[in-house]
């Protein structure tokens, strides 16, 4: 398992936004949360890139997400990064 990231954020290529969710729990870092629902096209898949900065082995993982109008759900992407 790699070191914990010193910084982390999610890139949203479609809008060129950088998303930062400040809270995390015991080495679980959120990629996105339901606050994004209102800016997503319903039932349409969108690509997000999670970036975790650390000295060795920086993290860069691609995820596909979609919204049902109420919640954001993962369509594809890894479950864990080490």
């Amino acid at each position: 398992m790699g070191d914990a990231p010193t910084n982390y954020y999610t890139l949203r290529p479609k809008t060129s936004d950088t998303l930062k969710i400040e809270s995390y729990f015991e080495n679980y870092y959120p990629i996105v949360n339901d606050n994004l629902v209102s800016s997503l096209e319903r039932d349409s898949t969108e690509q997000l890139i999670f970036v975790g900065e650390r000295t060795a082995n920086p993290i860069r993982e691609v995820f596909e997400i979609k919204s049902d109008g109420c919640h954001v759900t993962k369509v594809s992407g890894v479950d864990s990064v080490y």
Side-chain angles (χ1 to χ4, degrees):
M1 184 172 185
D3 293 334
T6 56
N7 189 27
Y8 66 95
Y9 50 90
T10 301
L11 300 174
R12 188 176 180 196
K14 183 176 181 176
T15 62
S16 299
D17 288 335
T18 299
L19 310 172
K20 177 72 173 170
I21 302 170
E22 294 296 334
S23 63
Y24 66 93
F25 177 74
E26 294 181 4
N27 292 324
Y28 291 94
Y29 299 88
I31 296 159
V32 67
N33 62 22
D34 287 338
N35 291 335
L36 189 62
V37 168
S38 63
S39 68
L40 293 171
E41 187 175 331
R42 187 179 183 138
D43 296 322
S44 185
T45 302
E46 186 173 328
Q47 185 181 78
L48 298 176
I49 303 165
F50 178 79
V51 177
E53 298 175 354
R54 56 188 182 185
T55 306
N57 302 321
I59 303 163
R60 189 173 181 92
E61 292 289 339
V62 177
F63 293 85
E64 288 188 333
I65 56 100
K66 73 176 184 178
S67 168
D68 63 6
C70 291
H71 302 285
V72 175
T73 57
K74 181 178 85 168
V75 175
S76 69
V78 298
D79 290 329
S80 298
V81 176
Y82 298 98

